Amino acid sequence: MSLLYQKQNQEIRPGVHLIQDVNASNSPMKYTAVKVLALDANASYDETLGAFEAGIVVLTGKVTVTADQQRFEGIGQRQSVFDKIPTDSVYVGTGLPFSVTAQTAAKILIAYSPTTTSFPVRLLKGDIHQIEHRGKYQNKRLVQNILPDDLPFADKLLLVEVYTDSGNWSSYPPHRHDHDNLPTESLLEEIYYHEMQPKQGFVFQRVYTDDHSLDETMTVQNQDVVIVPKGYHPVGVPDGYDSYYLNIMAGPTRVWHFHNAPEHAWIIDRK
Ligand SMILES: O=C(O)C[C@@H](O)[C@H](O)C(=O)CO
């Protein structure tokens, strides 16, 4: 089973280009799915959700989103994800129709999680994001929380974006969240949508379980997706390149409690 989904570029509607489409039909993921779309200026994408909730993240550009008689005009805060400006997102509740119209050339990520529990449509402005500077030495990363577990605005979805600069590691020391054992650990699947700066760069990502029954190390390139159905999932960024990834997480309980690999937990305690 490959955990790596390389970028596509398929025009699915006039001016709407499909970059990624990972879901239960082409992956083992049960709680999470993702679409990444590039929209030409003035292009529109619309969809009616089945028994899913969705988080629409405006990765780049300016768009107008309509959902459930609400209209959010001119949302989006950046031209590149590497502007490191928290962007805007829209949460759309289960079963609702939505549309996205690009005012400028734009890129959006639509994160999905199956649910029949309704939560209201909500604009998640970038300026509400909780920003974190995590790590030390070559383990530093910038975290911009979009929909963390302390915002009760969704049934299952958790969304966060992470910047890891040249020569650093993130999602490190390795941790897992694949045991439904609260309060110690929650069971959350995870999807990574990666971008690189400069674009020709790559990162290494390893996904592995304690018993190594799953142990895959991948070369991940710009706009690739990596799925983490279970296991530890560290990311290493080569010198000279900067990494961005957006994480989608979901599972039986919407809380992020992870377990650090014991043999590597000392990394956290360095002075
Ligand atoms: O702190 C980081 O390096 C980011 C990770 O926590 C990432 O968001 C993840 O693996 C969540 O489980």
Side-chain angles (χ1 to χ4, degrees):
M1 167 178 69
S2 176
L3 305 179
L4 177 67
Y5 293 75
Q6 293 180 326
K7 68 171 284 189
Q8 312 175 38
N9 191 350
Q10 181 194 349
E11 188 165 19
I12 57 172
R13 309 212 182 141
V16 179
H17 309 269
L18 184 70
I19 306 295
Q20 288 286 357
D21 188 4
V22 179
N23 53 59
S25 72
N26 60 0
S27 83
M29 306 303 262
K30 301 181 182 64
Y31 292 98
T32 52
V34 66
K35 278 194 188 85
V36 178
L37 301 172
L39 278 65
D40 297 346
N42 304 312
S44 285
Y45 175 78
D46 61 83
E47 185 177 327
T48 296
L49 293 173
F52 288 84
E53 62 184 354
I56 305 165
V57 181
V58 187
L59 293 172
T60 59
K62 290 269 184 210
V63 302
T64 292
V65 175
T66 62
D68 200 21
Q69 282 84 45
Q70 295 190 57
R71 183 180 174 82
F72 306 108
E73 287 202 18
I75 61 174
Q77 296 297 333
R78 60 199 185 194
Q79 287 312 307
S80 161
V81 297
F82 289 98
D83 292 347
K84 294 188 179 179
I85 301 166
T87 192
D88 304 328
S89 305
V90 176
Y91 173 85
V92 182
T94 185
L96 292 175
F98 68 84
S99 76
V100 183
T101 300
Q103 288 166 239
T104 69
K107 203 166 30 182
I108 63 171
L109 178 142
I110 308 171
Y112 303 86
S113 189
T115 183
T116 54
T117 303
S118 293
F119 278 73
V121 169
R122 183 183 301 267
L123 174 62
L124 301 165
K125 285 293 287 175
D127 56 14
I128 70 161
H129 290 194
Q130 300 155 23
I131 309 297
E132 296 177 61
H133 294 273
R134 292 181 187 160
K136 58 187 91 166
Y137 301 106
Q138 282 67 50
N139 181 209
K140 296 187 192 71
R141 64 276 194 199
L142 166 66
V143 177
Q144 296 183 165
N145 289 284
I146 298 172
L147 196 53
D149 57 12
D150 61 357
L151 290 185
F153 301 153
D155 184 40
K156 294 280 186 294
L157 275 178
L158 295 165
L159 299 174
V160 59
E161 50 188 11
V162 180
Y163 294 91
T164 313
D165 290 346
S166 167
N168 280 270
W169 288 76
S170 61
S171 300
Y172 185 81
H175 66 255
R176 68 173 203 221
H177 33 73
D178 61 10
H179 288 55
D180 195 357
N181 179 29
L182 288 172
T184 307
E185 183 177 347
S186 51
L187 190 164
L188 296 170
E189 288 179 351
E190 186 161 10
I191 291 179
Y192 280 68
Y193 166 69
H194 288 266
E195 291 203 10
M196 296 303 306
Q197 177 176 260
K199 290 188 188 315
Q200 71 271 25
F202 60 84
V203 297
F204 293 121
Q205 184 161 22
R206 182 185 180 194
V207 180
Y208 67 101
T209 51
D210 290 291
D211 64 2
H212 300 284
S213 57
L214 174 63
D215 195 338
E216 190 172 334
T217 299
M218 294 154 273
T219 302
V220 185
Q221 303 189 81
N222 188 50
Q223 298 191 312
D224 285 353
V225 157
V226 171
I227 61 170
V228 185
K230 57 185 175 180
Y232 303 95
H233 38 279
V235 174
V237 184
D239 180 33
Y241 291 90
D242 294 332
S243 153
Y244 165 91
Y245 51 76
L246 188 146
N247 292 138
I248 304 164
M249 290 184 276
T253 309
R254 187 172 175 267
V255 62
W256 181 50
H257 290 186
F258 56 89
H259 166 79
N260 287 313
E263 71 274 29
H264 301 302
W266 64 271
I267 289 281
I268 296 168
D269 302 327
R270 289 173 295 174
K271 295 292 172 255

